[in-house]
Amino acid sequence: MDRVYVDNNATTRVAPEVLDEMLPYLKDLYANPSSMYSFAGEVAEKLKEARARVADLLGADTEEIVFTSCGSESDSTAIWAAVNANPDKHHIVTTRVEHPAVKNLCEHLARKGWRVTFVPVDGKGRLDTDYLYRSLTPDTAIVSVMWANNETGVIFPIEEIGNEVRERGIMFHTDAVQAVGKIPIDLRHAPVDMLSLSGHKLHAPKGVGVLYIRKGTKFSPFLIGGHQEHGRRGGTENVASIVALGKACELARQHMDAENTRVKKLRDRLEAGLLAAIPASAVNGDIDNRLPNTCNIGFESVEGEAILLLMDQHGICASSGSACTSGSLEPSHVLRAMGVPFTSAHGSVRFSLSIYNTEEEIDYIVEKLPPIIERLRNLSPFWKENQAAKAAAG
Ligand SMILES: *Cc1c(COP(=O)(O)O)cnc(C)c1O
């Protein structure tokens, strides 16, 4: 096999139907949708359709949809908007397991003088909601809690949290980048004020996102410029990518049930296959409340980076739980927050599937990975020590 791509929480393939729909807007239909002639009107109409498709997937109104450049921009815009709308409040509540788009901004605000509460999670990655509710005060400007975690797939009880937070008159934002398109979301029932999503996590291209802003929410723009997006986000619309995102949302809505059962089955097959074939391995995260496509497994006494490198030789693309991008081999902040023991946090690998994966690909991974782990463990002094200790203990 040339390539087996199981890193869909990092980014996804652009769906062929999505590409077909966006291409005309990179070729002949290039008008600025704000211009007056009918050529532009055609483009503006297509933008309108895209907005309606996004709104449909979320159970939102079209006026509540603001297109942005990415999930990170949506997250930043939401948190800055809440901070600016509440100049007399100096407290922010978020979790210890957010994506860097939220985590690093909150840490930045903490350095600038805001008080930030980072709500902990338990060993399975479940949020301590009582801790969250106890931390709320009249000084709290915003609560930002992700809908589903990108590393473990663990889903947080957004409806319950939203009710508690908004009952106290506090703004509630959710980073739903990993949830949208994977699990049903209906903002007619989910009490959130703002929600972020990103195109490239649901088979649209990179560089387009959405911030949902519930009607009546106090808001100030992050990008101040032209009157685009009803003055909520300046900048000429990224027409082709917005059209693509609209199509991706429509596809997600059509395929959600059927594909989720199929993707979940593949994920479960992968997980069961690996756990059975590889001793001293365990799932990270709450297996009863996870995204259907995500599986994070810790392999004791091996380095995640080494696993990725050897899997890459077989064309398998996945992610590790350690933050190699930062130049350190520290286990990820998510696994650390869960208290996953160092020896298995280091050897954690995230597999994230999509509708484009096949059973053959899953079986290929289940065939290739066990000998890789065995080979690495035979090189590991920790593994040998652990085995010797276990043998001595009887
Ligand atoms: C990918 C991701 C983001 C960032 O989205 P970009 O479009 O890449 O900026 C934010 N939050 C979560 C949970 C993500 O998985």
Side-chain angles (χ1 to χ4, degrees):
M1 278 196 201
D2 278 356
R3 182 185 300 129
V4 174
Y5 186 80
V6 281
D7 200 15
N8 288 278
N9 289 7
T11 196
T12 59
R13 164 199 291 272
V14 174
E17 301 93 323
V18 166
L19 186 65
D20 285 348
E21 190 133 341
M22 78 184 284
L23 280 178
Y25 296 87
L26 291 171
K27 286 177 174 167
D28 302 326
L29 298 172
Y30 52 82
N32 186 324
S34 297
S35 299
M36 289 308 293
Y37 29 79
S38 52
F39 177 34
E42 216 180 310
V43 176
E45 273 306 303
K46 191 69 183 172
L47 276 188
K48 227 170 121 182
E49 183 194 63
R51 203 180 297 280
R53 285 169 163 177
V54 175
D56 268 357
L57 179 65
L58 300 177
D61 281 337
T62 50
E63 312 92 87
E64 296 174 318
I65 303 300
V66 173
F67 288 109
T68 66
S69 70
C70 58
S72 303
E73 185 193 319
S74 301
D75 286 341
S76 255
T77 303
I79 292 170
W80 279 117
V83 160
N84 290 332
N86 297 284
D88 49 333
K89 298 184 179 184
H90 299 93
H91 179 223
I92 296 166
V93 176
T94 186
T95 81
R96 287 181 61 188
V97 297
E98 296 296 312
H99 185 275
V102 169
K103 176 180 173 275
N104 290 349
L105 174 58
C106 288
E107 285 171 358
H108 169 83
L109 290 170
R111 285 190 296 273
K112 295 278 177 190
W114 273 270
R115 192 164 69 82
V116 183
T117 302
F118 293 93
V119 178
V121 295
D122 69 8
K124 288 183 168 182
R126 294 174 299 200
L127 196 64
D128 186 343
T129 48
D130 287 333
Y131 188 107
L132 192 160
Y133 305 145
R134 281 199 307 275
S135 73
L136 302 174
T137 75
D139 193 42
T140 310
I142 184 172
V143 175
S144 180
V145 173
M146 68 200 323
W147 201 307
N149 186 270
N150 45 302
E151 292 189 29
T152 59
V154 172
I155 298 168
F156 288 154
I158 290 303
E159 291 200 22
E160 180 204 306
I161 298 169
N163 279 323
E164 292 283 338
V165 169
R166 293 178 82 232
E167 200 166 84
R168 293 164 171 84
I170 300 167
M171 273 188 179
F172 183 48
H173 165 254
T174 182
D175 175 340
V177 170
Q178 290 296 343
V180 172
K182 294 180 186 142
I183 55 174
I185 285 181
D186 188 349
L187 293 173
R188 281 166 297 214
H189 305 297
V192 314
D193 296 303
M194 293 186 278
L195 172 148
S196 306
L197 70 88
S198 172
H200 74 102
K201 304 288 174 80
L202 72 149
H203 303 292
K206 293 155 192 68
V208 63
V210 162
L211 179 62
Y212 158 87
I213 308 169
R214 187 177 292 277
K215 256 183 243 143
T217 304
K218 277 198 253 171
F219 182 79
S220 55
F222 182 59
L223 245 177
I224 298 172
H227 60 272
Q228 293 91 353
E229 303 297 306
H230 290 291
R232 290 170 298 181
R233 202 265 186 188
T236 303
E237 298 86 346
N238 181 353
V239 174
S241 293
I242 291 171
V243 168
L245 179 52
K247 183 65 181 176
C249 285
E250 189 192 61
L251 290 176
R253 208 160 81 99
Q254 286 168 1
H255 296 165
M256 180 142 352
D257 289 343
E259 296 294 2
N260 265 357
T261 40
R262 199 183 71 87
V263 171
K264 182 170 182 292
K265 241 180 167 164
L266 290 179
R267 190 274 312 270
D268 291 344
R269 184 184 179 95
L270 174 67
E271 196 165 271
L274 292 178
L275 292 178
I278 303 172
S281 58
V283 174
N284 296 316
D286 182 7
I287 57 169
D288 298 320
N289 196 17
R290 268 187 306 175
L291 294 174
N293 79 317
T294 307
C295 151
N296 189 312
I297 304 185
F299 303 102
E300 247 178 63
S301 307
V302 270
E303 284 290 348
E305 304 304 301
I307 303 172
L308 294 191
L309 224 68
L310 294 183
M311 284 202 300
D312 187 34
Q313 292 178 356
H314 296 286
I316 302 168
C317 310
S319 276
S320 84
S322 52
C324 63
T325 41
S326 67
S328 75
L329 279 175
E330 278 280 285
S332 82
H333 68 283
V334 176
L335 300 180
R336 270 183 291 153
M338 290 163 61
V340 174
F342 234 65
T343 48
S344 61
H346 264 292
S348 288
V349 177
R350 177 189 72 190
F351 304 91
S352 47
L353 282 58
S354 84
I355 57 170
Y356 297 109
N357 288 118
T358 64
E359 209 168 279
E360 294 75 62
E361 290 180 327
I362 297 308
D363 293 344
Y364 178 81
I365 301 172
V366 173
E367 176 199 326
K368 294 298 176 193
L369 188 51
I372 289 176
I373 302 291
E374 194 181 337
R375 185 174 148 201
L376 290 171
R377 280 179 175 164
N378 285 334
L379 298 169
S380 158
F382 302 109
W383 176 250
K384 287 179 190 156
E385 268 170 37
N386 283 349
Q387 291 304 94
K390 273 184 193 157

